[in-house]
Amino acid sequence: MAIQVTYRWTRRLSMRIVKNGDVHVSAPIGMPKAQVVQFIKEHRDWIAKARENTSERQKHRDAFFAQLPLQTRQQKDDALRRIKTLVEPMVESHAQTMGLKPPTVTYRAMKSRWGVCHCKERSVCFSLYLLLLPEWCVEHVVVHELCHLLEPSHNARFHALMDRYFPRWRDARKATRAYS
């Protein structure tokens, strides 16, 4: 159990548990170390429970991603072939509807993101792990990344674009988050 204390320009003490189970404490600059240590001691039960919850979530997440083995070259090639077959028609169809030229599309084994849009390069990248999601959730990710070519941030205009091109995006986002 590692505890990391960081002094910041903040008004109050706070703490969180990170993926590996470590405790990160943020304390106001100038707060005595004894007060920070007391805060940690008072919250030992919360720390234990939060660590347990984090561990369970991580196990669930690891089990989810383990459903798509990508250890061998053959597994990676097979996944790449399958994701291209699934995603490329969606990209082509939605890009045409949105009045976009189909951007450069790449694929990587990303666990932290389903897709990434590089607006300046006019390219999008999709996770191979999209293969683990239902098709309508994959379509949501495709439309999401294409909308970023029209609006880089997640502002009201972006949400209006999502409403226009994929009206069920909120349901799809919720379902996608439930999987991982």
Side-chain angles (χ1 to χ4, degrees), residues 18-83:
V18 294
K19 286 181 185 177
N20 67 0
D22 288 352
V23 180
H24 287 195
V25 179
S26 294
I29 292 175
M31 179 173 275
K33 185 177 180 180
Q35 194 173 346
V36 175
V37 170
Q38 182 62 33
F39 176 77
I40 294 168
K41 285 179 183 177
E42 289 172 0
H43 290 87
R44 279 195 178 161
D45 291 341
W46 179 88
I47 291 170
K49 188 172 182 176
R51 275 194 165 147
E52 189 177 314
N53 291 342
T54 300
S55 174
E56 285 302 313
R57 273 195 313 275
Q58 195 60 40
K59 285 178 189 172
H60 173 73
R61 190 173 154 76
D62 291 344
F64 174 78
F65 287 113
Q67 294 175 64
L68 182 66
L70 296 173
Q71 282 74 37
T72 67
R73 185 87 219 132
Q74 184 179 0
Q75 290 170 333
K76 289 177 185 174
D77 290 344
D78 180 53
L80 184 59
R81 180 187 50 74
R82 289 174 39 218
I83 195 72

Side-chain angles (χ1 to χ4, degrees), residues 126-162:
F126 296 103
S127 173
L128 293 174
Y129 291 103
L130 284 171
L131 290 168
L132 299 174
L133 298 177
E135 194 170 319
W136 74 291
C137 292
V138 174
E139 188 173 6
H140 156 254
V141 173
V142 168
V143 174
H144 182 106
E145 298 310 328
L146 290 175
C147 281
H148 277 308
L149 292 172
L150 300 171
E151 177 54 54
S153 64
H154 290 115
N155 59 17
R157 181 172 181 256
F158 175 83
H159 291 127
L161 289 167
M162 286 298 294

